[in-house]
Amino acid sequence: MSKWLPRIWMLALLVLVAFAIPQCLFTDHGLFNATSQQSALDPKGMVSRDQAHTFYLILWVTLGLFVVVGGALAWVLIRFRRRKGDDPNYIPPQSHGNPLIEVGLVMLSAGVLVIIAFPTFAGIVLKERLPAGEFEEEPLVINVTGYQWWWAFEYPNEGGFYTANEIVFPVGRPVQINLQTNDVIHSFWLPKLAGKKDLMAGQTNHLWFVADEEGEYWGQCAEYCGDSHAYMLFRAHAVSPEEFRDWRHAQEDPAVRIGQNDGPADLLPTMPREEWVDAQRVEQGAQLFQQNCATCHSVNPAVQSPGPNLAHFASRSTIAAGWYENDWEVADGQVSNEYLHRWIKEPNHVKPGNFMWNGFYNFDRTTHERALVMEGLKEKGLTDSDVDTLITYLYNLK
Ligand code: HEC
Ligand SMILES: [Cu+2]
């Protein structure tokens, strides 16, 4: 009895672990849930599928090796363990080794590496270059610039407009991505569509992908880039060709009356929403925007600004580089957006260190002094009612 009790406990523990591990790892919220938003094991396009295949090939090969080596080890340990009655001073006959086994193992390891190398090299070629003749349509070009901690996207061949933190592209059409950075190294990663590629100062890197299915794909900066690196996300929407055409026309359109006056009137929406509701409020909003935000944010889709371009902000699905949903509510002539309120009032609480709150500084390397270049919201003291007025204005930038 006393001999068996620990063994029963051990068995119970093993059974528990055997059931608990798949629960923790592979269910909907599990760590290894292969279909979660940022899983590279749920490929939805040619490039990512190729990479997932290579991954699985390597996984199975190494798993096979693990079983063979681990099995041999276990067998030796059990088969040759010391038994009762063995002579403790016994020394087995000594030999220098076994050339056949040694050479065989070297050859086998080399063979395994060759098996892994071929699809790996083919995958590198595929991810670098669009396969000729595979697609009828020219690739859609998107220029990406990484900023701490958001993404600027430019569509140079589609009328040359800018947007931020969200790309839209037609399903089935290859997308050519050109990567640059405005500051430190970032890494562009859309797990379900393509592998990672770094954004490096002083050079342009490239990658391409194609989506087989319409849908919303989640992207993420995958190279540590400072305080709010973990909050540097983006969304990629694969849509039908018709939807893409409509979106593209809407983006090209200046959302405001750029350059007609000289002042906040230039920032008034050209196509206010039906529920514009309170024209005076929108005008006040344009004024507040001019005073507090326009140095960093352009609302002209043709211009890139030090902060995200907000030309069609209201039509985007997220706020603060994919961190919050962009949820508008209109009730009794009042526009509200809880997350947006939080973001404009205290962006430092949402994304630590971010420049919208702190402003932009120049750092002099010889004197080691910092000089303010652009004031952040820290200095502005916006009230809750100012923020609500700004939200009413932003709601009309559709
Ligand atoms: C000092 C420059 C600066 C000022 C001033 C500024 N912003 Fe920003 N803003 C930024 C930066 C930088 C980001 C990106 C922050 C991040 O995600 O790390 C940003 C992000 C945003 C976003 C989210 C955009 C997106 O697509 O995720 C909104 C909305 C926004 N700002 C609105 C405003 C409003 C309204 C004002 C004026 C009250 C304002 N900003 C003032 C620099 C500024
Ligand atoms: Cu980054």
Side-chain angles (χ1 to χ4, degrees), residues 149-150 165 292-293 296-297 307-308 310 313 316 319-321 340 343-344 351 354-356 359-360 374-377 382 390 394:
W149 294 279
W150 60 281
N165 300 326
N292 299 294
C293 325
C296 295
H297 292 290
L310 296 181
F313 173 70
R316 290 189 207 146
I319 296 170
L340 185 57
W343 171 249
I344 298 174
K351 292 173 83 158
N354 92 81
F355 296 107
M356 172 148 149
F360 291 110
M374 258 176 247
E375 266 187 5
L377 294 186
L382 294 176
L390 280 161
L394 288 171

PDB file of all heavy atoms in Angstrom, residues 149-150 165 292-293 296-297 307-308 310 313 316 319-321 340 343-344 351 354-356 359-360 374-377 382 390 394, ligand 1:
ATOM      1  N   TRP A 149       4.854  55.305 -32.369  1.00  0.00           N
ATOM      2  CA  TRP A 149       4.542  53.911 -32.437  1.00  0.00           C
ATOM      3  C   TRP A 149       3.300  53.729 -33.275  1.00  0.00           C
ATOM      4  O   TRP A 149       2.249  53.360 -32.797  1.00  0.00           O
ATOM      5  CB  TRP A 149       4.375  53.369 -31.010  1.00  0.00           C
ATOM      6  CG  TRP A 149       5.698  53.437 -30.279  1.00  0.00           C
ATOM      7  CD1 TRP A 149       6.717  52.530 -30.394  1.00  0.00           C
ATOM      8  CD2 TRP A 149       6.189  54.453 -29.393  1.00  0.00           C
ATOM      9  NE1 TRP A 149       7.808  52.922 -29.630  1.00  0.00           N
ATOM     10  CE2 TRP A 149       7.507  54.091 -29.010  1.00  0.00           C
ATOM     11  CE3 TRP A 149       5.645  55.637 -28.917  1.00  0.00           C
ATOM     12  CZ2 TRP A 149       8.266  54.875 -28.147  1.00  0.00           C
ATOM     13  CZ3 TRP A 149       6.408  56.407 -28.072  1.00  0.00           C
ATOM     14  CH2 TRP A 149       7.718  56.020 -27.692  1.00  0.00           C
ATOM     15  N   TRP A 150       3.467  54.056 -34.547  1.00  0.00           N
ATOM     16  CA  TRP A 150       2.340  53.950 -35.486  1.00  0.00           C
ATOM     17  C   TRP A 150       2.889  53.798 -36.896  1.00  0.00           C
ATOM     18  O   TRP A 150       4.097  53.870 -37.113  1.00  0.00           O
ATOM     19  CB  TRP A 150       1.429  55.177 -35.365  1.00  0.00           C
ATOM     20  CG  TRP A 150       2.106  56.479 -35.666  1.00  0.00           C
ATOM     21  CD1 TRP A 150       2.929  57.183 -34.842  1.00  0.00           C
ATOM     22  CD2 TRP A 150       2.062  57.212 -36.890  1.00  0.00           C
ATOM     23  NE1 TRP A 150       3.391  58.304 -35.475  1.00  0.00           N
ATOM     24  CE2 TRP A 150       2.865  58.353 -36.737  1.00  0.00           C
ATOM     25  CE3 TRP A 150       1.401  57.007 -38.111  1.00  0.00           C
ATOM     26  CZ2 TRP A 150       3.039  59.288 -37.752  1.00  0.00           C
ATOM     27  CZ3 TRP A 150       1.564  57.947 -39.116  1.00  0.00           C
ATOM     28  CH2 TRP A 150       2.380  59.074 -38.919  1.00  0.00           C
ATOM     29  N   ASN A 165      -2.190  53.445 -40.055  1.00  0.00           N
ATOM     30  CA  ASN A 165      -2.565  52.330 -39.171  1.00  0.00           C
ATOM     31  C   ASN A 165      -3.592  51.366 -39.742  1.00  0.00           C
ATOM     32  O   ASN A 165      -4.117  50.520 -39.029  1.00  0.00           O
ATOM     33  CB  ASN A 165      -3.067  52.855 -37.823  1.00  0.00           C
ATOM     34  CG  ASN A 165      -1.992  53.667 -37.126  1.00  0.00           C
ATOM     35  OD1 ASN A 165      -0.824  53.355 -37.250  1.00  0.00           O
ATOM     36  ND2 ASN A 165      -2.398  54.714 -36.441  1.00  0.00           N
ATOM     37  N   ASN A 292      -4.725  73.224 -31.750  1.00  0.00           N
ATOM     38  CA  ASN A 292      -4.074  72.221 -30.901  1.00  0.00           C
ATOM     39  C   ASN A 292      -3.497  71.011 -31.619  1.00  0.00           C
ATOM     40  O   ASN A 292      -2.673  70.295 -31.057  1.00  0.00           O
ATOM     41  CB  ASN A 292      -5.068  71.698 -29.858  1.00  0.00           C
ATOM     42  CG  ASN A 292      -5.567  72.796 -28.962  1.00  0.00           C
ATOM     43  OD1 ASN A 292      -4.808  73.372 -28.197  1.00  0.00           O
ATOM     44  ND2 ASN A 292      -6.843  73.128 -29.095  1.00  0.00           N
ATOM     45  N   CYS A 293      -3.949  70.760 -32.819  1.00  0.00           N
ATOM     46  CA  CYS A 293      -3.624  69.471 -33.428  1.00  0.00           C
ATOM     47  C   CYS A 293      -2.963  69.597 -34.799  1.00  0.00           C
ATOM     48  O   CYS A 293      -2.226  68.690 -35.218  1.00  0.00           O
ATOM     49  CB  CYS A 293      -4.892  68.631 -33.596  1.00  0.00           C
ATOM     50  SG  CYS A 293      -6.121  68.838 -32.296  1.00  0.00           S
ATOM     51  N   CYS A 296       0.713  68.742 -35.980  1.00  0.00           N
ATOM     52  CA  CYS A 296       1.139  67.340 -36.097  1.00  0.00           C
ATOM     53  C   CYS A 296       0.280  66.511 -37.039  1.00  0.00           C
ATOM     54  O   CYS A 296       0.745  65.506 -37.561  1.00  0.00           O
ATOM     55  CB  CYS A 296       1.128  66.673 -34.731  1.00  0.00           C
ATOM     56  SG  CYS A 296       2.306  67.372 -33.585  1.00  0.00           S
ATOM     57  N   HIS A 297      -0.987  66.895 -37.205  1.00  0.00           N
ATOM     58  CA  HIS A 297      -1.898  66.056 -38.006  1.00  0.00           C
ATOM     59  C   HIS A 297      -2.392  66.788 -39.231  1.00  0.00           C
ATOM     60  O   HIS A 297      -3.039  67.828 -39.111  1.00  0.00           O
ATOM     61  CB  HIS A 297      -3.134  65.664 -37.193  1.00  0.00           C
ATOM     62  CG  HIS A 297      -2.857  64.733 -36.073  1.00  0.00           C
ATOM     63  ND1 HIS A 297      -2.501  63.422 -36.266  1.00  0.00           N
ATOM     64  CD2 HIS A 297      -2.872  64.922 -34.738  1.00  0.00           C
ATOM     65  CE1 HIS A 297      -2.324  62.841 -35.091  1.00  0.00           C
ATOM     66  NE2 HIS A 297      -2.529  63.724 -34.142  1.00  0.00           N
ATOM     67  N   GLY A 307       2.416  63.418 -37.303  1.00  0.00           N
ATOM     68  CA  GLY A 307       1.517  62.446 -36.665  1.00  0.00           C
ATOM     69  C   GLY A 307       0.668  61.805 -37.750  1.00  0.00           C
ATOM     70  O   GLY A 307       0.718  62.233 -38.903  1.00  0.00           O
ATOM     71  N   PRO A 308      -0.133  60.800 -37.405  1.00  0.00           N
ATOM     72  CA  PRO A 308      -0.951  60.116 -38.416  1.00  0.00           C
ATOM     73  C   PRO A 308      -1.836  61.084 -39.202  1.00  0.00           C
ATOM     74  O   PRO A 308      -2.405  61.993 -38.621  1.00  0.00           O
ATOM     75  CB  PRO A 308      -1.817  59.165 -37.584  1.00  0.00           C
ATOM     76  CG  PRO A 308      -1.099  58.980 -36.304  1.00  0.00           C
ATOM     77  CD  PRO A 308      -0.302  60.219 -36.067  1.00  0.00           C
ATOM     78  N   LEU A 310      -5.085  62.364 -40.659  1.00  0.00           N
ATOM     79  CA  LEU A 310      -6.437  62.107 -40.139  1.00  0.00           C
ATOM     80  C   LEU A 310      -7.518  62.430 -41.165  1.00  0.00           C
ATOM     81  O   LEU A 310      -8.687  62.613 -40.821  1.00  0.00           O
ATOM     82  CB  LEU A 310      -6.676  62.924 -38.859  1.00  0.00           C
ATOM     83  CG  LEU A 310      -5.786  62.576 -37.658  1.00  0.00           C
ATOM     84  CD1 LEU A 310      -6.139  63.450 -36.449  1.00  0.00           C
ATOM     85  CD2 LEU A 310      -5.907  61.104 -37.276  1.00  0.00           C
ATOM     86  N   PHE A 313     -10.346  59.939 -40.961  1.00  0.00           N
ATOM     87  CA  PHE A 313     -10.212  59.234 -39.691  1.00  0.00           C
ATOM     88  C   PHE A 313     -11.482  58.500 -39.260  1.00  0.00           C
ATOM     89  O   PHE A 313     -11.424  57.372 -38.772  1.00  0.00           O
ATOM     90  CB  PHE A 313      -9.768  60.211 -38.600  1.00  0.00           C
ATOM     91  CG  PHE A 313      -9.765  59.605 -37.245  1.00  0.00           C
ATOM     92  CD1 PHE A 313      -8.822  58.649 -36.912  1.00  0.00           C
ATOM     93  CD2 PHE A 313     -10.728  59.954 -36.312  1.00  0.00           C
ATOM     94  CE1 PHE A 313      -8.832  58.051 -35.667  1.00  0.00           C
ATOM     95  CE2 PHE A 313     -10.741  59.362 -35.060  1.00  0.00           C
ATOM     96  CZ  PHE A 313      -9.795  58.409 -34.736  1.00  0.00           C
ATOM     97  N   ARG A 316     -12.024  54.894 -40.230  1.00  0.00           N
ATOM     98  CA  ARG A 316     -11.086  53.832 -39.837  1.00  0.00           C
ATOM     99  C   ARG A 316     -11.641  52.974 -38.711  1.00  0.00           C
ATOM    100  O   ARG A 316     -12.484  53.425 -37.941  1.00  0.00           O
ATOM    101  CB  ARG A 316      -9.759  54.444 -39.386  1.00  0.00           C
ATOM    102  CG  ARG A 316      -9.013  55.032 -40.537  1.00  0.00           C
ATOM    103  CD  ARG A 316      -7.621  55.423 -40.107  1.00  0.00           C
ATOM    104  NE  ARG A 316      -7.168  56.495 -40.953  1.00  0.00           N
ATOM    105  CZ  ARG A 316      -6.385  57.484 -40.558  1.00  0.00           C
ATOM    106  NH1 ARG A 316      -5.954  57.523 -39.308  1.00  0.00           N
ATOM    107  NH2 ARG A 316      -6.028  58.419 -41.395  1.00  0.00           N
ATOM    108  N   ILE A 319      -8.221  53.088 -33.279  1.00  0.00           N
ATOM    109  CA  ILE A 319      -7.613  54.317 -32.764  1.00  0.00           C
ATOM    110  C   ILE A 319      -6.269  53.954 -32.140  1.00  0.00           C
ATOM    111  O   ILE A 319      -6.146  52.875 -31.542  1.00  0.00           O
ATOM    112  CB  ILE A 319      -8.495  54.923 -31.650  1.00  0.00           C
ATOM    113  CG1 ILE A 319      -9.845  55.335 -32.211  1.00  0.00           C
ATOM    114  CG2 ILE A 319      -7.821  56.105 -30.987  1.00  0.00           C
ATOM    115  CD1 ILE A 319     -10.837  55.703 -31.124  1.00  0.00           C
ATOM    116  N   ALA A 320      -5.319  54.873 -32.237  1.00  0.00           N
ATOM    117  CA  ALA A 320      -4.021  54.700 -31.581  1.00  0.00           C
ATOM    118  C   ALA A 320      -3.298  53.456 -32.082  1.00  0.00           C
ATOM    119  O   ALA A 320      -2.871  52.602 -31.307  1.00  0.00           O
ATOM    120  CB  ALA A 320      -4.169  54.674 -30.056  1.00  0.00           C
ATOM    121  N   ALA A 321      -3.192  53.358 -33.409  1.00  0.00           N
ATOM    122  CA  ALA A 321      -2.469  52.266 -34.047  1.00  0.00           C
ATOM    123  C   ALA A 321      -3.000  50.889 -33.626  1.00  0.00           C
ATOM    124  O   ALA A 321      -2.288  50.067 -33.070  1.00  0.00           O
ATOM    125  CB  ALA A 321      -0.965  52.370 -33.787  1.00  0.00           C
ATOM    126  N   LEU A 340     -11.948  57.310 -27.992  1.00  0.00           N
ATOM    127  CA  LEU A 340     -11.310  58.478 -28.596  1.00  0.00           C
ATOM    128  C   LEU A 340     -11.170  59.581 -27.553  1.00  0.00           C
ATOM    129  O   LEU A 340     -10.159  60.282 -27.503  1.00  0.00           O
ATOM    130  CB  LEU A 340     -12.143  58.959 -29.795  1.00  0.00           C
ATOM    131  CG  LEU A 340     -11.555  60.105 -30.607  1.00  0.00           C
ATOM    132  CD1 LEU A 340     -10.167  59.752 -31.132  1.00  0.00           C
ATOM    133  CD2 LEU A 340     -12.472  60.462 -31.773  1.00  0.00           C
ATOM    134  N   TRP A 343      -8.324  58.765 -25.446  1.00  0.00           N
ATOM    135  CA  TRP A 343      -7.073  58.940 -26.191  1.00  0.00           C
ATOM    136  C   TRP A 343      -6.670  60.414 -26.292  1.00  0.00           C
ATOM    137  O   TRP A 343      -5.515  60.766 -26.061  1.00  0.00           O
ATOM    138  CB  TRP A 343      -7.203  58.315 -27.586  1.00  0.00           C
ATOM    139  CG  TRP A 343      -6.052  58.632 -28.487  1.00  0.00           C
ATOM    140  CD1 TRP A 343      -6.073  59.429 -29.587  1.00  0.00           C
ATOM    141  CD2 TRP A 343      -4.694  58.187 -28.355  1.00  0.00           C
ATOM    142  NE1 TRP A 343      -4.829  59.510 -30.150  1.00  0.00           N
ATOM    143  CE2 TRP A 343      -3.965  58.752 -29.415  1.00  0.00           C
ATOM    144  CE3 TRP A 343      -4.028  57.368 -27.431  1.00  0.00           C
ATOM    145  CZ2 TRP A 343      -2.600  58.532 -29.588  1.00  0.00           C
ATOM    146  CZ3 TRP A 343      -2.666  57.145 -27.605  1.00  0.00           C
ATOM    147  CH2 TRP A 343      -1.979  57.724 -28.670  1.00  0.00           C
ATOM    148  N   ILE A 344      -7.639  61.290 -26.615  1.00  0.00           N
ATOM    149  CA  ILE A 344      -7.274  62.704 -26.796  1.00  0.00           C
ATOM    150  C   ILE A 344      -7.013  63.370 -25.441  1.00  0.00           C
ATOM    151  O   ILE A 344      -6.129  64.207 -25.307  1.00  0.00           O
ATOM    152  CB  ILE A 344      -8.374  63.469 -27.574  1.00  0.00           C
ATOM    153  CG1 ILE A 344      -8.527  62.868 -28.976  1.00  0.00           C
ATOM    154  CG2 ILE A 344      -8.039  64.952 -27.696  1.00  0.00           C
ATOM    155  CD1 ILE A 344      -9.671  63.441 -29.783  1.00  0.00           C
ATOM    156  N   LYS A 351      -0.832  54.989 -24.228  1.00  0.00           N
ATOM    157  CA  LYS A 351       0.450  54.526 -24.771  1.00  0.00           C
ATOM    158  C   LYS A 351       1.575  55.306 -24.107  1.00  0.00           C
ATOM    159  O   LYS A 351       1.832  56.450 -24.457  1.00  0.00           O
ATOM    160  CB  LYS A 351       0.486  54.742 -26.290  1.00  0.00           C
ATOM    161  CG  LYS A 351      -0.486  53.840 -27.028  1.00  0.00           C
ATOM    162  CD  LYS A 351      -0.572  54.162 -28.507  1.00  0.00           C
ATOM    163  CE  LYS A 351       0.536  53.516 -29.285  1.00  0.00           C
ATOM    164  NZ  LYS A 351       0.188  53.371 -30.728  1.00  0.00           N
ATOM    165  N   ASN A 354       4.205  58.302 -25.489  1.00  0.00           N
ATOM    166  CA  ASN A 354       3.896  58.685 -26.872  1.00  0.00           C
ATOM    167  C   ASN A 354       4.014  60.187 -27.106  1.00  0.00           C
ATOM    168  O   ASN A 354       3.834  61.012 -26.223  1.00  0.00           O
ATOM    169  CB  ASN A 354       2.540  58.125 -27.295  1.00  0.00           C
ATOM    170  CG  ASN A 354       1.438  59.100 -27.036  1.00  0.00           C
ATOM    171  OD1 ASN A 354       1.211  60.021 -27.802  1.00  0.00           O
ATOM    172  ND2 ASN A 354       0.802  58.920 -25.897  1.00  0.00           N
ATOM    173  N   PHE A 355       4.316  60.541 -28.363  1.00  0.00           N
ATOM    174  CA  PHE A 355       4.700  61.906 -28.711  1.00  0.00           C
ATOM    175  C   PHE A 355       3.523  62.856 -28.829  1.00  0.00           C
ATOM    176  O   PHE A 355       3.712  64.062 -28.858  1.00  0.00           O
ATOM    177  CB  PHE A 355       5.536  61.893 -29.987  1.00  0.00           C
ATOM    178  CG  PHE A 355       6.820  61.156 -29.799  1.00  0.00           C
ATOM    179  CD1 PHE A 355       7.027  59.910 -30.355  1.00  0.00           C
ATOM    180  CD2 PHE A 355       7.821  61.700 -29.004  1.00  0.00           C
ATOM    181  CE1 PHE A 355       8.214  59.219 -30.143  1.00  0.00           C
ATOM    182  CE2 PHE A 355       9.008  61.017 -28.784  1.00  0.00           C
ATOM    183  CZ  PHE A 355       9.197  59.778 -29.357  1.00  0.00           C
ATOM    184  N   MET A 356       2.328  62.333 -28.934  1.00  0.00           N
ATOM    185  CA  MET A 356       1.165  63.218 -28.997  1.00  0.00           C
ATOM    186  C   MET A 356       1.032  63.956 -27.663  1.00  0.00           C
ATOM    187  O   MET A 356       0.685  65.121 -27.620  1.00  0.00           O
ATOM    188  CB  MET A 356      -0.092  62.404 -29.285  1.00  0.00           C
ATOM    189  CG  MET A 356      -1.371  63.175 -29.181  1.00  0.00           C
ATOM    190  SD  MET A 356      -2.565  62.524 -30.355  1.00  0.00           S
ATOM    191  CE  MET A 356      -4.081  62.848 -29.483  1.00  0.00           C
ATOM    192  N   GLY A 359       5.017  65.755 -27.064  1.00  0.00           N
ATOM    193  CA  GLY A 359       5.546  66.671 -28.071  1.00  0.00           C
ATOM    194  C   GLY A 359       6.856  66.167 -28.636  1.00  0.00           C
ATOM    195  O   GLY A 359       7.415  65.167 -28.166  1.00  0.00           O
ATOM    196  N   PHE A 360       7.342  66.852 -29.673  1.00  0.00           N
ATOM    197  CA  PHE A 360       8.591  66.441 -30.317  1.00  0.00           C
ATOM    198  C   PHE A 360       9.739  67.326 -29.863  1.00  0.00           C
ATOM    199  O   PHE A 360       9.610  68.541 -29.808  1.00  0.00           O
ATOM    200  CB  PHE A 360       8.456  66.521 -31.834  1.00  0.00           C
ATOM    201  CG  PHE A 360       7.514  65.492 -32.389  1.00  0.00           C
ATOM    202  CD1 PHE A 360       6.275  65.870 -32.915  1.00  0.00           C
ATOM    203  CD2 PHE A 360       7.837  64.147 -32.386  1.00  0.00           C
ATOM    204  CE1 PHE A 360       5.398  64.925 -33.423  1.00  0.00           C
ATOM    205  CE2 PHE A 360       6.968  63.193 -32.892  1.00  0.00           C
ATOM    206  CZ  PHE A 360       5.747  63.591 -33.408  1.00  0.00           C
ATOM    207  N   MET A 374       7.828  70.714 -31.316  1.00  0.00           N
ATOM    208  CA  MET A 374       6.378  70.798 -31.456  1.00  0.00           C
ATOM    209  C   MET A 374       5.731  70.459 -30.131  1.00  0.00           C
ATOM    210  O   MET A 374       6.008  69.405 -29.564  1.00  0.00           O
ATOM    211  CB  MET A 374       5.917  69.812 -32.516  1.00  0.00           C
ATOM    212  CG  MET A 374       5.596  70.447 -33.844  1.00  0.00           C
ATOM    213  SD  MET A 374       5.189  69.177 -35.006  1.00  0.00           S
ATOM    214  CE  MET A 374       6.567  69.338 -36.119  1.00  0.00           C
ATOM    215  N   GLU A 375       4.899  71.368 -29.672  1.00  0.00           N
ATOM    216  CA  GLU A 375       4.237  71.150 -28.383  1.00  0.00           C
ATOM    217  C   GLU A 375       3.305  69.946 -28.431  1.00  0.00           C
ATOM    218  O   GLU A 375       2.570  69.771 -29.401  1.00  0.00           O
ATOM    219  CB  GLU A 375       3.383  72.372 -28.042  1.00  0.00           C
ATOM    220  CG  GLU A 375       4.074  73.369 -27.177  1.00  0.00           C
ATOM    221  CD  GLU A 375       3.115  74.471 -26.739  1.00  0.00           C
ATOM    222  OE1 GLU A 375       1.904  74.391 -27.046  1.00  0.00           O
ATOM    223  OE2 GLU A 375       3.596  75.398 -26.088  1.00  0.00           O
ATOM    224  N   GLY A 376       3.300  69.156 -27.392  1.00  0.00           N
ATOM    225  CA  GLY A 376       2.337  68.070 -27.284  1.00  0.00           C
ATOM    226  C   GLY A 376       1.128  68.514 -26.472  1.00  0.00           C
ATOM    227  O   GLY A 376       1.082  69.644 -25.978  1.00  0.00           O
ATOM    228  N   LEU A 377       0.174  67.608 -26.295  1.00  0.00           N
ATOM    229  CA  LEU A 377      -1.067  67.985 -25.603  1.00  0.00           C
ATOM    230  C   LEU A 377      -0.845  68.225 -24.112  1.00  0.00           C
ATOM    231  O   LEU A 377      -1.667  68.853 -23.446  1.00  0.00           O
ATOM    232  CB  LEU A 377      -2.141  66.912 -25.822  1.00  0.00           C
ATOM    233  CG  LEU A 377      -2.629  66.766 -27.270  1.00  0.00           C
ATOM    234  CD1 LEU A 377      -3.787  65.790 -27.352  1.00  0.00           C
ATOM    235  CD2 LEU A 377      -3.044  68.113 -27.861  1.00  0.00           C
ATOM    236  N   LEU A 382      -6.412  70.710 -22.504  1.00  0.00           N
ATOM    237  CA  LEU A 382      -7.756  70.584 -23.081  1.00  0.00           C
ATOM    238  C   LEU A 382      -8.756  70.145 -22.014  1.00  0.00           C
ATOM    239  O   LEU A 382      -8.457  69.276 -21.196  1.00  0.00           O
ATOM    240  CB  LEU A 382      -7.760  69.548 -24.202  1.00  0.00           C
ATOM    241  CG  LEU A 382      -6.964  69.855 -25.471  1.00  0.00           C
ATOM    242  CD1 LEU A 382      -7.013  68.662 -26.409  1.00  0.00           C
ATOM    243  CD2 LEU A 382      -7.507  71.099 -26.161  1.00  0.00           C
ATOM    244  N   LEU A 390     -13.988  68.394 -30.279  1.00  0.00           N
ATOM    245  CA  LEU A 390     -13.055  67.827 -31.266  1.00  0.00           C
ATOM    246  C   LEU A 390     -13.582  66.505 -31.819  1.00  0.00           C
ATOM    247  O   LEU A 390     -13.434  66.213 -33.009  1.00  0.00           O
ATOM    248  CB  LEU A 390     -11.685  67.607 -30.612  1.00  0.00           C
ATOM    249  CG  LEU A 390     -10.815  68.857 -30.503  1.00  0.00           C
ATOM    250  CD1 LEU A 390      -9.727  68.668 -29.454  1.00  0.00           C
ATOM    251  CD2 LEU A 390     -10.198  69.209 -31.855  1.00  0.00           C
ATOM    252  N   LEU A 394     -14.072  65.459 -35.621  1.00  0.00           N
ATOM    253  CA  LEU A 394     -13.415  64.291 -36.228  1.00  0.00           C
ATOM    254  C   LEU A 394     -14.430  63.323 -36.846  1.00  0.00           C
ATOM    255  O   LEU A 394     -14.161  62.665 -37.847  1.00  0.00           O
ATOM    256  CB  LEU A 394     -12.565  63.553 -35.186  1.00  0.00           C
ATOM    257  CG  LEU A 394     -11.285  64.260 -34.743  1.00  0.00           C
ATOM    258  CD1 LEU A 394     -10.652  63.537 -33.565  1.00  0.00           C
ATOM    259  CD2 LEU A 394     -10.285  64.355 -35.885  1.00  0.00           C
TER     260      LEU A 394
HETATM  261  C1  HEC B   1       3.001  66.835 -30.983  1.00  0.00           C
HETATM  262  C2  HEC B   1       2.272  66.273 -32.088  1.00  0.00           C
HETATM  263  C3  HEC B   1       0.798  65.960 -31.908  1.00  0.00           C
HETATM  264  C4  HEC B   1      -0.220  66.802 -31.530  1.00  0.00           C
HETATM  265  C5  HEC B   1      -0.110  68.265 -31.108  1.00  0.00           C
HETATM  266  C6  HEC B   1      -1.434  66.028 -31.627  1.00  0.00           C
HETATM  267  N1  HEC B   1      -1.163  64.762 -32.032  1.00  0.00           N
HETATM  268 FE1  HEC B   1      -2.511  63.275 -32.347  1.00  0.00          FE
HETATM  269  N2  HEC B   1      -1.018  61.991 -32.698  1.00  0.00           N
HETATM  270  C7  HEC B   1       0.328  62.309 -32.712  1.00  0.00           C
HETATM  271  C8  HEC B   1       1.090  61.101 -32.828  1.00  0.00           C
HETATM  272  C9  HEC B   1       2.611  60.998 -32.887  1.00  0.00           C
HETATM  273  C10 HEC B   1       0.152  60.046 -32.898  1.00  0.00           C
HETATM  274  C11 HEC B   1       0.456  58.570 -32.978  1.00  0.00           C
HETATM  275  C12 HEC B   1       0.583  58.108 -31.552  1.00  0.00           C
HETATM  276  C13 HEC B   1       0.837  56.651 -31.424  1.00  0.00           C
HETATM  277  O1  HEC B   1      -0.031  55.871 -31.861  1.00  0.00           O
HETATM  278  O2  HEC B   1       1.892  56.306 -30.871  1.00  0.00           O
HETATM  279  C14 HEC B   1      -1.160  60.647 -32.828  1.00  0.00           C
HETATM  280  C15 HEC B   1      -2.352  59.926 -32.912  1.00  0.00           C
HETATM  281  C16 HEC B   1      -3.612  60.508 -32.965  1.00  0.00           C
HETATM  282  C17 HEC B   1      -4.829  59.809 -33.267  1.00  0.00           C
HETATM  283  C18 HEC B   1      -4.957  58.336 -33.576  1.00  0.00           C
HETATM  284  C19 HEC B   1      -4.794  58.100 -35.051  1.00  0.00           C
HETATM  285  C20 HEC B   1      -4.834  56.662 -35.472  1.00  0.00           C
HETATM  286  O3  HEC B   1      -5.169  56.395 -36.620  1.00  0.00           O
HETATM  287  O4  HEC B   1      -4.497  55.786 -34.680  1.00  0.00           O
HETATM  288  C21 HEC B   1      -5.827  60.732 -33.218  1.00  0.00           C
HETATM  289  C22 HEC B   1      -7.301  60.504 -33.458  1.00  0.00           C
HETATM  290  C23 HEC B   1      -5.234  61.995 -32.860  1.00  0.00           C
HETATM  291  N3  HEC B   1      -3.879  61.812 -32.736  1.00  0.00           N
HETATM  292  C24 HEC B   1      -5.934  63.156 -32.671  1.00  0.00           C
HETATM  293  C25 HEC B   1      -5.349  64.337 -32.223  1.00  0.00           C
HETATM  294  C26 HEC B   1      -6.109  65.511 -31.875  1.00  0.00           C
HETATM  295  C27 HEC B   1      -7.617  65.639 -31.936  1.00  0.00           C
HETATM  296  C28 HEC B   1      -5.191  66.438 -31.483  1.00  0.00           C
HETATM  297  C29 HEC B   1      -5.448  67.850 -30.972  1.00  0.00           C
HETATM  298  C30 HEC B   1      -6.270  67.976 -29.828  1.00  0.00           C
HETATM  299  C31 HEC B   1      -3.868  65.862 -31.605  1.00  0.00           C
HETATM  300  N4  HEC B   1      -4.008  64.575 -32.050  1.00  0.00           N
HETATM  301  C32 HEC B   1      -2.685  66.528 -31.339  1.00  0.00           C
HETATM  302  C33 HEC B   1       0.889  63.557 -32.616  1.00  0.00           C
HETATM  303  C34 HEC B   1       0.184  64.688 -32.218  1.00  0.00           C
END
